[in-house]
mmCIF file with all atom_site columns, all heavy atoms in Angstrom:
data_model
loop_
_atom_site.group_PDB
_atom_site.id
_atom_site.type_symbol
_atom_site.label_atom_id
_atom_site.label_alt_id
_atom_site.label_comp_id
_atom_site.label_asym_id
_atom_site.label_entity_id
_atom_site.label_seq_id
_atom_site.pdbx_PDB_ins_code
_atom_site.Cartn_x
_atom_site.Cartn_y
_atom_site.Cartn_z
_atom_site.occupancy
_atom_site.B_iso_or_equiv
_atom_site.pdbx_formal_charge
_atom_site.auth_seq_id
_atom_site.auth_comp_id
_atom_site.auth_asym_id
_atom_site.auth_atom_id
_atom_site.pdbx_PDB_model_num
ATOM 1  N N   . ALA L 1 30 ? -2.789  -2.347  4.314  1.00 0.00 ? 30 ALA L N   1
ATOM 2  C CA  . ALA L 1 30 ? -2.151  -0.940  4.192  1.00 0.00 ? 30 ALA L CA  1
ATOM 3  C C   . ALA L 1 30 ? -1.866  -0.564  2.773  1.00 0.00 ? 30 ALA L C   1
ATOM 4  O O   . ALA L 1 30 ? -1.863  0.569   2.423  1.00 0.00 ? 30 ALA L O   1
ATOM 5  C CB  . ALA L 1 30 ? -0.882  -0.865  5.031  1.00 0.00 ? 30 ALA L CB  1
ATOM 6  N N   . GLN L 1 31 ? -1.622  -1.518  1.924  1.00 0.00 ? 31 GLN L N   1
ATOM 7  C CA  . GLN L 1 31 ? -1.295  -1.356  0.509  1.00 0.00 ? 31 GLN L CA  1
ATOM 8  C C   . GLN L 1 31 ? -2.511  -1.287  -0.400 1.00 0.00 ? 31 GLN L C   1
ATOM 9  O O   . GLN L 1 31 ? -2.514  -1.085  -1.554 1.00 0.00 ? 31 GLN L O   1
ATOM 10 C CB  . GLN L 1 31 ? -0.406  -2.448  0.015  1.00 0.00 ? 31 GLN L CB  1
ATOM 11 C CG  . GLN L 1 31 ? 0.967   -2.443  0.633  1.00 0.00 ? 31 GLN L CG  1
ATOM 12 C CD  . GLN L 1 31 ? 1.757   -3.708  0.158  1.00 0.00 ? 31 GLN L CD  1
ATOM 13 O OE1 . GLN L 1 31 ? 1.862   -3.944  -1.067 1.00 0.00 ? 31 GLN L OE1 1
ATOM 14 N NE2 . GLN L 1 31 ? 2.175   -4.488  1.117  1.00 0.00 ? 31 GLN L NE2 1
ATOM 15 N N   . GLY L 1 32 ? -3.718  -1.455  0.304  1.00 0.00 ? 32 GLY L N   1
ATOM 16 C CA  . GLY L 1 32 ? -5.045  -1.401  -0.400 1.00 0.00 ? 32 GLY L CA  1
ATOM 17 C C   . GLY L 1 32 ? -5.369  -2.698  -1.122 1.00 0.00 ? 32 GLY L C   1
ATOM 18 O O   . GLY L 1 32 ? -6.294  -2.780  -1.927 1.00 0.00 ? 32 GLY L O   1
ATOM 19 N N   . LYS L 1 33 ? -4.638  -3.737  -0.691 1.00 0.00 ? 33 LYS L N   1
ATOM 20 C CA  . LYS L 1 33 ? -4.847  -5.125  -1.270 1.00 0.00 ? 33 LYS L CA  1
ATOM 21 C C   . LYS L 1 33 ? -5.835  -5.816  -0.271 1.00 0.00 ? 33 LYS L C   1
ATOM 22 O O   . LYS L 1 33 ? -5.470  -6.860  0.344  1.00 0.00 ? 33 LYS L O   1
ATOM 23 C CB  . LYS L 1 33 ? -3.552  -5.880  -1.462 1.00 0.00 ? 33 LYS L CB  1
ATOM 24 C CG  . LYS L 1 33 ? -2.679  -5.179  -2.487 1.00 0.00 ? 33 LYS L CG  1
ATOM 25 C CD  . LYS L 1 33 ? -1.324  -5.853  -2.617 1.00 0.00 ? 33 LYS L CD  1
ATOM 26 C CE  . LYS L 1 33 ? -0.523  -5.131  -3.576 1.00 0.00 ? 33 LYS L CE  1
ATOM 27 N NZ  . LYS L 1 33 ? 0.901   -5.803  -3.744 1.00 0.00 ? 33 LYS L NZ  1
ATOM 28 N N   . TYR L 1 34 ? -7.064  -5.345  -0.254 1.00 0.00 ? 34 TYR L N   1
ATOM 29 C CA  . TYR L 1 34 ? -8.060  -5.790  0.692  1.00 0.00 ? 34 TYR L CA  1
ATOM 30 C C   . TYR L 1 34 ? -8.443  -7.215  0.567  1.00 0.00 ? 34 TYR L C   1
ATOM 31 O O   . TYR L 1 34 ? -8.643  -7.918  1.484  1.00 0.00 ? 34 TYR L O   1
ATOM 32 C CB  . TYR L 1 34 ? -9.300  -4.813  0.663  1.00 0.00 ? 34 TYR L CB  1
ATOM 33 C CG  . TYR L 1 34 ? -8.904  -3.441  1.081  1.00 0.00 ? 34 TYR L CG  1
ATOM 34 C CD1 . TYR L 1 34 ? -8.961  -2.398  0.174  1.00 0.00 ? 34 TYR L CD1 1
ATOM 35 C CD2 . TYR L 1 34 ? -8.506  -3.143  2.396  1.00 0.00 ? 34 TYR L CD2 1
ATOM 36 C CE1 . TYR L 1 34 ? -8.689  -1.066  0.484  1.00 0.00 ? 34 TYR L CE1 1
ATOM 37 C CE2 . TYR L 1 34 ? -8.217  -1.787  2.778  1.00 0.00 ? 34 TYR L CE2 1
ATOM 38 C CZ  . TYR L 1 34 ? -8.244  -0.855  1.777  1.00 0.00 ? 34 TYR L CZ  1
ATOM 39 O OH  . TYR L 1 34 ? -7.944  0.412   2.186  1.00 0.00 ? 34 TYR L OH  1
ATOM 40 N N   . GLU L 1 35 ? -8.597  -7.615  -0.719 1.00 0.00 ? 35 GLU L N   1
ATOM 41 C CA  . GLU L 1 35 ? -9.115  -9.078  -0.932 1.00 0.00 ? 35 GLU L CA  1
ATOM 42 C C   . GLU L 1 35 ? -8.055  -10.052 -0.438 1.00 0.00 ? 35 GLU L C   1
ATOM 43 O O   . GLU L 1 35 ? -8.395  -11.047 0.166  1.00 0.00 ? 35 GLU L O   1
ATOM 44 C CB  . GLU L 1 35 ? -9.524  -9.238  -2.350 1.00 0.00 ? 35 GLU L CB  1
ATOM 45 C CG  . GLU L 1 35 ? -10.227 -10.562 -2.630 1.00 0.00 ? 35 GLU L CG  1
ATOM 46 C CD  . GLU L 1 35 ? -11.431 -10.753 -1.758 1.00 0.00 ? 35 GLU L CD  1
ATOM 47 O OE1 . GLU L 1 35 ? -12.195 -9.762  -1.565 1.00 0.00 ? 35 GLU L OE1 1
ATOM 48 O OE2 . GLU L 1 35 ? -11.727 -11.903 -1.276 1.00 0.00 ? 35 GLU L OE2 1
ATOM 49 N N   . GLN L 1 36 ? -6.766  -9.815  -0.782 1.00 0.00 ? 36 GLN L N   1
ATOM 50 C CA  . GLN L 1 36 ? -5.694  -10.664 -0.413 1.00 0.00 ? 36 GLN L CA  1
ATOM 51 C C   . GLN L 1 36 ? -5.544  -10.609 1.199  1.00 0.00 ? 36 GLN L C   1
ATOM 52 O O   . GLN L 1 36 ? -5.407  -11.661 1.742  1.00 0.00 ? 36 GLN L O   1
ATOM 53 C CB  . GLN L 1 36 ? -4.391  -10.194 -1.037 1.00 0.00 ? 36 GLN L CB  1
ATOM 54 C CG  . GLN L 1 36 ? -4.275  -10.510 -2.466 1.00 0.00 ? 36 GLN L CG  1
ATOM 55 C CD  . GLN L 1 36 ? -2.885  -9.968  -2.962 1.00 0.00 ? 36 GLN L CD  1
ATOM 56 O OE1 . GLN L 1 36 ? -2.783  -8.694  -3.207 1.00 0.00 ? 36 GLN L OE1 1
ATOM 57 N NE2 . GLN L 1 36 ? -1.984  -10.821 -3.183 1.00 0.00 ? 36 GLN L NE2 1
ATOM 58 N N   . SER L 1 37 ? -5.700  -9.463  1.696  1.00 0.00 ? 37 SER L N   1
ATOM 59 C CA  . SER L 1 37 ? -5.655  -9.316  3.182  1.00 0.00 ? 37 SER L CA  1
ATOM 60 C C   . SER L 1 37 ? -6.790  -10.075 3.777  1.00 0.00 ? 37 SER L C   1
ATOM 61 O O   . SER L 1 37 ? -6.625  -10.783 4.853  1.00 0.00 ? 37 SER L O   1
ATOM 62 C CB  . SER L 1 37 ? -5.738  -7.797  3.475  1.00 0.00 ? 37 SER L CB  1
ATOM 63 O OG  . SER L 1 37 ? -5.740  -7.632  4.924  1.00 0.00 ? 37 SER L OG  1
ATOM 64 N N   . LYS L 1 38 ? -7.962  -9.982  3.253  1.00 0.00 ? 38 LYS L N   1
ATOM 65 C CA  . LYS L 1 38 ? -9.142  -10.656 3.806  1.00 0.00 ? 38 LYS L CA  1
ATOM 66 C C   . LYS L 1 38 ? -8.923  -12.171 3.788  1.00 0.00 ? 38 LYS L C   1
ATOM 67 O O   . LYS L 1 38 ? -9.294  -12.856 4.802  1.00 0.00 ? 38 LYS L O   1
ATOM 68 C CB  . LYS L 1 38 ? -10.363 -10.343 2.951  1.00 0.00 ? 38 LYS L CB  1
ATOM 69 C CG  . LYS L 1 38 ? -11.609 -11.033 3.310  1.00 0.00 ? 38 LYS L CG  1
ATOM 70 C CD  . LYS L 1 38 ? -12.757 -10.772 2.300  1.00 0.00 ? 38 LYS L CD  1
ATOM 71 C CE  . LYS L 1 38 ? -13.825 -11.867 2.432  1.00 0.00 ? 38 LYS L CE  1
ATOM 72 N NZ  . LYS L 1 38 ? -14.657 -11.774 1.280  1.00 0.00 ? 38 LYS L NZ  1
#
Side-chain angles (χ1 to χ4, degrees):
Q31 297 173 54
K33 298 177 181 178
Y34 296 111
E35 191 55 39
Q36 288 175 284
S37 175
K38 175 188 164 197

